[in-house]
Amino acid sequence: MLRLLLLVLLLAAPGLAAAQGGKAPKDLVRARLVAEAAALTPGRTVTLGLHLAMKPGWHVYWRNPGDSGLPPEMAWRLPEGFSVGPTQWPAPERIPVQTLMNFGYEGTVTLLVPLHVPETLPESLRAGGRVPLSGTLSYLVCEEICIPGTAELALEMPLVSDPGAAPEPDPAQARLFAEARAALPVPAPFPVRAVREGETLALQLDRPDGAPPIRDAAFFPYAESALDNAAEQNLQGEAGTQRLLLKPGEAAVAPEALGGVLTFDEGGTRRAYAVGPEPAVTPAAVPAAAPSATPPPAPATATAEAETLTLWSAAGLALLGGLVLNLMPCVFPVLSIKVLSLVKQAGEARGRVRLHGLAYTAGVVASFLGLAGLLIALKAGGAGIGWGFQLQSPVVVILLAYGLFAVGLSLSGAVHVGGRLAGLGDGLTRRSGYQGSFFTGVLATLVATPCTAPFMGAAVGFALTQPAWVGLLVFACLGLGLALPFLALTAFPGALSLLPRPGAWMETVKGALAFPVYATAAWLIWVLAQQVGPNGLLGALGGLVLVGLTAWAWERARAAGRIGTGLGRATAVLALAGALALAAALDGQRGGAAGVQLAGIEEPFTQARLDALRAEGRTVFVDMTAAWCITCQVNERMVLSREAVQAAFRAGSVAYLKGDWTNQNPEITRLLESHGRSGVPLYLVYKGKGEARLLPQILTEALVIAEVGGDRLAAR
């Protein structure tokens, strides 16, 4: 049991470490709120500045942070009638971090924000003559690690008594605002257009003849997944028409819709130009209520559970969600294998049977705590990930498929893992000792992560928005729910007497259980097919062949002589090494879209497209999905692909935006987080500019048709 305790501590360590995280040191970012004008004039607009000074080597992020990170965000507290406009962002820099490319600012930066002063002021302001402006600035500051931080900013400004007088500039801030405006991108003085050339996007710069040569050109897209941010951007041509070659990202953005900021060095001067369409402005710039005002009601998203969750209600939902996970097709085969092993132990001492249940529960809970701690730590570091994040890695998917394929081979009797290899693969989950029960819990957790059961989504979303210790407690309840049926069975060993007596039938059942395990491995290969190209898929299938060769060679070596044993084991080791090498090579392969394609309706999700459709007053159905999400696939095949649903979409001119989270996509992650969710599926219905309606995770035809207005159309 000592080894078992050590394994629990090792798996739970990331979660415990995340719970100890502290606040960012104050000297990493020094933030202040400044104003360009010395005073405010009723009915006029003045410019405020959010000035951030970073410690050398550290950086904050642009509006599109690139491959990771979060942009600074200000939650304003303004007097009644005052409002702020959209933030004006200076041109960013490319900041490479290992294999990622981020967009942000080092040194200092000033974000400009227009403040609109109402013509009619409240009595309290007219009497006092000074206006309090304040808010909470949230930011993520990064070096090799990322640390979230907040700053309480405040400023008091006098009022101009003459309503017709123009705001006088503050001389003390003149230089700062002049430098901030000089850093803003301006419209390009020459034609710039994006064209698609095969698999490449080319930004064509039609500069006049005789213009000085440019160098160090870079393009920063407004949409987070429009380009492969880390890909090299090559500038072709010396004068006149020049082309900047870009690699498209996962979101299929049409060339004419590609907007962003183009920067380059021209004769020693850095230029920054706004190119293409600006994304639609959403109501995000509405200020928070003043401290003395009554807080505004929360947006009317769909579920009451998201509005009223507390720690204990979230823990209860997590427990129920974990319980339902046992019925998911990815978990049930693994649990069945362990229940079968309990039949063999029906005659053992009750205390020993209970310890098997506790060991299994320890494996499940420790694995959930480990995954949760890692997820919390990565999110605190700026990674745009959520529940099931490990399955966004092709390497993890194929290794899990390899492991389940090996389990299936063992159940089929093709290989028997001996005592010396009891620490590997299926030997871990099928041992009669406590280690076998513990690692069955670990495996059950790993294969459960693609599933999002009812009750689970809101609980996980709540957990990831709370302090680390709260998040870990909720995830521990989720693990306890998953382990509860097996734990209950072992807590009352008398229930085992109701099961059939051990006998030859068990070998037949064991062999039959291999096939759902094979089916799970086949499903994982299908998931991989959505993530990698044809060459990557061929490599993964080749790896499965090598796993089979490993099992066959090792089994043959058991009955061979000394030379045959050595050759067999050497062959097995080499085959396994080849399979692992093929798995490692998959990390650079990406591609494919998940799920059912709804012809004539479906568009790829981008935040810019959603904003544009809402500005048009369209009804928009947003479907956030992933290839590894079983619930998503069932909903798409059993509900969303049905003719009645598609007819309702067409009849109501409903826009269908589908976000594929099979691979990481920061725009999708942010939308999930904004609705209190950490994983897919997520279904939203927008009626024009109104708030989103959040639908349940299990859809029905009638529900979807009613939400998009198809029932009213049918009644006409």
Side-chain angles (χ1 to χ4, degrees):
M1 290 299 291
L2 178 60
R3 285 188 293 173
L4 184 60
L5 179 60
L6 289 174
L7 285 167
V8 172
L9 293 175
L10 285 172
L11 283 170
L16 298 175
Q20 302 299 320
K23 294 183 178 180
K26 293 183 179 180
D27 63 339
L28 292 181
V29 175
R30 296 189 304 276
R32 58 194 178 105
L33 177 61
V34 293
E36 186 174 24
L40 301 178
T41 303
R44 298 296 188 101
T45 297
V46 299
T47 302
L48 303 180
L50 299 173
H51 182 73
L52 289 77
M54 282 68 71
K55 186 176 181 179
W58 294 77
H59 62 269
V60 294
Y61 293 92
W62 186 52
R63 60 191 295 174
N64 169 10
D67 288 330
S68 65
L70 293 169
E73 185 175 358
M74 183 72 164
W76 291 95
R77 295 186 293 272
L78 303 175
E80 182 182 354
F82 286 70
S83 63
V84 292
T87 302
Q88 299 174 39
W89 299 83
E93 301 174 3
R94 286 167 64 90
I95 303 174
V97 180
Q98 298 181 6
T99 60
L100 305 179
M101 181 61 69
N102 296 333
F103 307 147
Y105 311 100
E106 297 178 319
T108 62
V109 65
T110 303
L111 309 179
L112 302 183
V113 182
L115 172 70
H116 307 300
V117 183
E119 291 186 6
T120 303
L121 300 175
E123 285 291 340
S124 59
L125 293 182
R126 288 201 295 269
R130 298 189 69 84
V131 179
L133 309 172
S134 64
T136 301
L137 178 68
S138 303
Y139 59 84
L140 188 70
V141 58
C142 300
E143 190 194 35
E144 290 298 322
I145 62 172
C146 292
I147 301 176
T150 59
E152 293 297 329
L153 306 181
L155 180 67
E156 277 198 352
M157 298 187 66
L159 281 168
V160 176
S161 57
D162 181 6
E168 290 290 334
D170 184 352
Q173 306 297 342
R175 180 176 178 181
L176 184 146
F177 278 89
E179 292 175 348
R181 283 201 165 84
L184 294 177
V186 299
F190 50 84
V192 179
R193 60 190 180 93
V195 294
R196 183 172 290 277
E197 300 177 352
E199 297 298 318
T200 302
L201 277 173
L203 205 62
Q204 187 165 304
L205 288 61
D206 296 322
R207 303 177 70 236
D209 293 336
I214 64 175
R215 59 186 179 87
D216 298 333
F219 181 72
F220 303 88
Y222 294 134
E224 293 187 16
S225 51
L227 298 180
D228 183 342
N229 300 316
E232 187 175 357
Q233 298 184 0
N234 294 314
L235 183 65
Q236 295 182 342
E238 295 295 333
T241 299
Q242 294 178 283
R243 298 158 66 249
L244 184 63
L245 302 184
L246 310 170
K247 184 178 180 181
E250 295 174 5
V253 177
E256 61 273 12
L258 181 65
V261 173
L262 171 68
T263 67
F264 54 77
D265 184 282
E266 182 182 48
T269 302
R270 188 175 189 239
R271 309 290 188 189
Y273 297 115
V275 174
E278 278 268 358
V281 177
T282 63
V286 175
S292 59
T294 302
T301 55
T303 56
E305 63 187 27
E307 298 173 358
T308 60
L309 277 186
T310 63
L311 170 59
W312 299 115
S313 60
L317 288 175
L319 191 70
L320 287 173
L323 195 62
V324 175
L325 276 179
N326 288 282
L327 302 178
M328 294 294 178
C330 45
V331 180
F332 190 74
V334 177
L335 186 60
S336 300
I337 295 168
K338 204 58 198 174
V339 171
L340 189 64
S341 71
L342 273 185
V343 175
K344 297 180 180 179
Q345 301 163 10
E348 293 188 11
R350 293 190 173 188
R352 181 173 174 81
V353 173
R354 290 192 180 102
L355 284 176
H356 277 288
L358 291 174
Y360 172 79
T361 303
V364 171
V365 174
S367 300
F368 268 96
L369 288 176
L371 284 173
L374 182 59
L375 178 56
I376 291 170
L378 290 174
K379 287 180 74 66
I385 56 177
W387 179 247
F389 68 97
Q390 69 274 20
L391 290 177
Q392 292 177 329
S393 167
V395 176
V396 173
V397 172
I398 193 57
L399 289 179
L400 193 54
Y402 287 172
L404 289 173
F405 184 58
V407 170
L409 290 175
S410 181
L411 291 171
S412 297
V415 61
H416 301 279
V417 182
R420 293 184 179 180
L421 288 181
L424 297 175
D426 179 50
L428 290 171
T429 63
R430 295 184 59 241
R431 291 188 67 179
S432 59
Y434 304 125
Q435 296 96 329
S437 296
F438 179 87
F439 279 101
T440 300
V442 174
L443 182 61
T445 302
L446 290 176
V447 299
T449 52
C451 303
T452 302
F455 315 111
M456 180 178 159
V460 172
F462 173 85
L464 294 178
T465 60
Q466 303 301 310
W469 71 269
V470 175
L472 293 175
L473 178 60
V474 173
F475 274 96
C477 291
L478 187 59
L480 183 61
L482 178 62
L484 198 57
F486 189 83
L487 181 63
L489 190 61
T490 57
F492 302 99
L496 295 177
S497 62
L498 301 177
L499 298 176
R501 290 182 173 275
W505 66 270
M506 296 178 63
E507 287 300 314
T508 302
V509 172
K510 184 182 75 171
L513 284 175
F515 292 97
V517 174
Y518 287 140
T520 305
W523 165 70
L524 286 167
I525 293 296
W526 176 82
V527 170
L528 190 73
Q530 315 305 309
Q531 296 176 311
V532 301
N535 291 336
L537 182 59
L538 178 61
L541 294 173
L544 282 180
V545 174
L546 291 176
V547 170
L549 176 59
T550 301
W552 176 81
W554 191 270
E555 189 65 20
R556 294 291 297 174
R558 289 164 55 89
R562 177 184 296 180
I563 296 177
T565 298
L567 288 174
R569 291 183 176 178
T571 301
V573 169
L574 289 174
L576 182 59
L580 295 177
L582 287 172
L586 292 176
D587 196 45
Q589 304 284 340
R590 297 286 176 180
V596 178
Q597 302 294 311
L598 305 186
I601 298 178
E602 179 182 319
E603 296 182 61
F605 168 83
T606 65
Q607 187 63 51
R609 181 58 177 155
L610 174 60
D611 294 341
L613 289 168
R614 294 182 65 194
E616 295 173 8
R618 293 274 301 276
T619 297
V620 185
F621 184 91
V622 176
D623 171 10
M624 293 303 173
T625 182
W628 39 263
C629 169
I630 294 178
T631 307
C632 305
Q633 304 307 317
V634 171
N635 283 333
E636 289 176 15
R637 283 163 173 76
M638 302 302 294
V639 177
L640 296 176
S641 63
R642 294 295 178 90
E643 181 57 37
V645 174
Q646 295 188 46
F649 277 45
R650 294 189 181 96
S653 189
V654 177
Y656 183 101
L657 296 185
K658 184 173 181 179
D660 182 6
W661 210 46
T662 302
N663 298 317
Q664 289 189 30
N665 184 310
E667 281 194 307
I668 295 176
T669 305
R670 290 194 185 180
L671 188 70
L672 292 170
E673 291 174 344
S674 70
H675 292 279
R677 292 296 172 88
S678 167
V680 290
L682 175 71
Y683 304 106
L684 303 170
V685 175
Y686 292 88
K687 299 292 183 68
K689 299 179 181 179
E691 294 292 340
R693 170 102 175 142
L694 183 63
L695 303 190
Q697 292 170 303
I698 305 298
L699 299 179
T700 65
E701 286 187 54
L703 172 68
V704 175
I705 292 172
E707 289 294 339
V708 301
D711 54 347
R712 294 187 295 274
L713 291 167
R716 292 180 183 177

